[in-house]
């Protein structure tokens, strides 16, 4: 009987130590008893976006901006990130005016130094990090009447793919010769 009591106590001690792993002991981005489950961050900040490529001209071969006396025809790049379901849309905090396609390297649009960086913060509970988002690049013609934005191209992405670690960079490769491509750099807070 005494032997059975000690076996029961040893079993309880073993179970208590095996189940006492605190999820805070897991590395950032992981959870679970064995730290083998990916965790969703509380929020994600889009720090910057590198434009890999955009079309040099409109589909009809015409330049992005109409040529007027003394005004160049280079596009004024503006970025937008929006939820495909329409629940959230954020325009780039800065415009890259008169971008020359032949310039090297391709531009980075940084969002860490704009006046309202929280615009590019996506919250797990409010925005849903596992839904589909769309990143688009437009030519903004504020200097013309009427002002307009002309879509140059877009791609869809997800901040999070179940079962995979949360990325610090999402690459959206160029899919067609006249398409757009992006690298989206992220910072996640768990």
């Amino acid at each position: 009987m005494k032997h059975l009591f000690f076996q029961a106590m040893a079993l309880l001690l073993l179970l208590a130590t095996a189940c006492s792993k605190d999820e805070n002991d897991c590395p950032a981005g992981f959870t679970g008893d064995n730290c083998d489950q990916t965790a969703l961050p509380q929020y994600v900040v889009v720090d910057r976006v590198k434009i890999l490529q955009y079309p040099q001209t409109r589909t009809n071969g015409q330049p992005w901006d109409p040529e007027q006396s003394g005004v160049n025809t280079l596009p004024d790049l503006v970025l937008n990130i929006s939820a495909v379901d329409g629940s959230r849309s954020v325009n780039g905090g800065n415009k890259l005016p008169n971008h020359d396609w032949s310039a090297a390297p391709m531009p980075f649009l940084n969002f860490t130094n704009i006046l309202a960086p929280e615009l590019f913060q996506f919250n797990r509970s409010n925005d849903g990090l596992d839904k589909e988002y769309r990143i688009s690049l437009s030519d903004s013609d504020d200097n013309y009447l009427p002002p307009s934005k002309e879509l140059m191209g877009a791609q869809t992405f997800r901040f999070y793919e179940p079962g995979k670690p949360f990325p610090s960079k999402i690459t959206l490769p160029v899919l067609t010769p006249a398409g757009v491509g992006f690298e989206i750099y992220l910072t996640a807070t768990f």
Side-chain angles (χ1 to χ4, degrees):
M1 182 74 164
K2 207 185 236 187
H3 186 40
L4 184 60
F5 174 76
F6 284 117
Q7 285 179 342
M9 290 301 286
L11 180 61
L12 282 173
L13 181 62
L14 180 64
L15 287 173
T17 56
C19 295
S20 67
K21 181 162 182 65
D22 185 3
E23 289 188 10
N24 292 334
D25 293 340
C26 293
F30 293 92
T31 188
D33 290 338
N34 298 317
C35 298
D36 58 350
Q37 299 170 7
T38 46
L40 271 177
Q42 294 298 317
Y43 63 90
V44 171
V45 175
V46 175
D47 294 317
R48 62 189 175 134
V49 174
K50 181 177 183 182
I51 301 168
L52 300 176
Q53 178 180 300
Y54 62 85
Q56 295 180 40
T57 62
R58 294 181 170 135
T59 54
N60 65 5
Q62 296 296 311
W64 286 107
D65 288 350
E67 191 162 356
Q68 296 179 352
S69 60
V71 178
N72 69 47
T73 60
L74 300 172
D76 303 316
L77 304 179
V78 175
L79 196 70
N80 175 274
I81 298 176
S82 58
V84 170
D85 67 8
S87 63
R88 175 91 189 267
S89 181
V90 179
N91 286 318
N94 51 1
K95 176 169 67 170
L96 189 62
N98 303 320
H99 186 262
D100 183 355
W101 169 260
S102 63
M106 287 298 282
F108 274 97
L109 295 179
N110 293 303
F111 301 110
T112 51
N113 297 327
I114 62 174
L115 294 176
E118 67 277 1
L119 288 176
F120 283 90
Q121 177 174 304
F122 294 83
N123 186 299
R124 173 176 69 189
S125 57
N126 296 339
D127 299 312
L129 299 177
D130 56 347
K131 66 176 149 185
E132 195 170 41
Y133 284 84
R134 178 179 186 249
I135 183 169
S136 61
L137 189 65
S138 298
D139 173 31
S140 176
D141 293 326
D142 297 336
N143 301 335
Y144 303 101
L145 292 176
S148 65
K149 279 188 187 169
E150 188 173 358
L151 181 66
M152 300 173 84
Q155 288 201 39
T156 57
F157 71 98
R158 293 180 186 273
F159 285 113
Y160 170 76
E161 292 186 39
K164 294 185 178 180
F166 203 86
S168 59
K169 178 177 83 171
I170 298 171
T171 300
L172 302 172
V174 178
L175 301 175
T176 63
V180 292
F182 305 97
E183 287 178 349
I184 306 168
Y185 292 81
L186 309 169
T187 301
T189 299
F190 292 90

